[in-house]
Amino acid sequence: MEIGKRLAQSGFTVMTGGGPGIMEAANRGAREAGGTSVGCNIKLEFEQDPNPYMDKWVTFKYFFVRKVLLMKYSYAFVVMPGGAGTMDELFGALTLIQTKKISDFPVVIMGKEYWKNLSELMDDFVKNKTINEEDLKLFILTDSVDEAIDHINKNTLDKYKLKKKKYQPAKSPDESKSNIN
């Protein structure tokens, strides 16, 4: 929840895959910080209803469409512990950066212990000359929300002339209802 909150406080819209768990926590953090929270949900037979903390969302039938939208409308990626879909999105982003299809796109991988095997795999890629050592600079691996936010802000705010939003906590559900009439 903290990473979503801090990104919203920096002025970013927080966009996730729209599902439960970590994605829901990021959307909730953004919403509770008064930021905008959106999701690119995927329709699956066995899971993934949109989480309740999104201001807007779209639901896709195919993962590749979701992946394109996540990349197109993002200034950075924050990769949290996840599974095969997370790996697909991470390596898709890294490949686009590596091949210069997108540039100066910060990628933050959160969870050093969780991603330890990935880090070792990336080192093996370098050792086996399947990637260059420079490619290891395409992302940072950290446990620190402060380091993640600093890295993203340093690589986006000035470049894209983004402005930090004035922090305004989200309205309580009761306050929101009174504005409907």
Side-chain angles (χ1 to χ4, degrees):
M1 212 163 80
E2 182 66 19
I3 194 86
K5 172 184 167 188
R6 297 279 302 280
L7 286 167
Q9 289 172 341
S10 287
F12 293 100
T13 294
V14 172
M15 181 167 51
T16 72
I22 292 173
M23 294 178 279
E24 183 173 320
N27 289 126
R28 182 177 180 177
R31 163 96 49 93
E32 290 181 358
T36 303
S37 172
V38 300
C40 294
N41 200 28
I42 192 80
K43 184 69 178 154
L44 300 174
E45 291 179 27
F46 53 90
E47 65 174 52
Q48 191 110 0
D49 289 324
N51 75 63
Y53 297 100
M54 295 182 292
D55 299 307
K56 297 177 186 178
W57 70 88
V58 61
T59 300
F60 301 101
K61 184 175 180 180
Y62 299 106
F63 280 99
F64 75 91
V65 177
R66 176 170 94 163
K67 197 162 67 168
V68 167
L69 260 79
L70 286 169
M71 284 301 302
K72 179 174 175 50
Y73 294 105
S74 295
Y75 289 107
F77 266 5
V78 176
V79 180
M80 303 300 283
T86 302
M87 294 287 285
D88 176 47
E89 291 165 355
L90 169 62
F91 278 100
L94 291 176
T95 300
L96 290 171
I97 298 165
Q98 179 192 45
T99 58
K100 311 269 189 269
K101 299 299 179 190
I102 58 175
S103 61
D104 302 323
F105 189 86
V107 175
V108 176
I109 304 172
M110 297 294 296
K112 287 183 177 183
E113 183 61 31
Y114 185 87
W115 294 109
K116 180 177 67 169
N117 292 338
L118 173 66
S119 181
E120 293 168 358
L121 178 64
M122 298 297 280
D123 290 338
D124 284 345
F125 286 168
V126 171
K127 186 173 87 180
N128 291 304
K129 298 181 176 20
T130 56
I131 65 172
N132 296 319
E133 193 162 350
E134 280 293 304
D135 293 332
L136 297 179
K137 296 178 183 172
L138 299 178
F139 61 91
I140 66 166
L141 177 60
T142 185
D143 290 321
S144 167
V145 173
D146 289 336
E147 183 180 6
I149 297 299
D150 289 346
H151 179 72
I152 291 168
N153 287 346
K154 182 178 82 176
N155 290 286
T156 57
L157 294 181
D158 289 338
K159 178 182 177 188
Y160 296 108
K161 297 177 179 38
L162 301 174
K163 304 250 188 286
K164 285 188 174 186
K165 290 183 180 177
K166 194 179 221 181
Y167 175 63
Q168 295 179 343
K171 293 179 181 177
S172 72
D174 291 336
E175 290 176 310
S176 295
K177 288 178 188 173
S178 67
N179 292 330
I180 292 175
N181 295 331

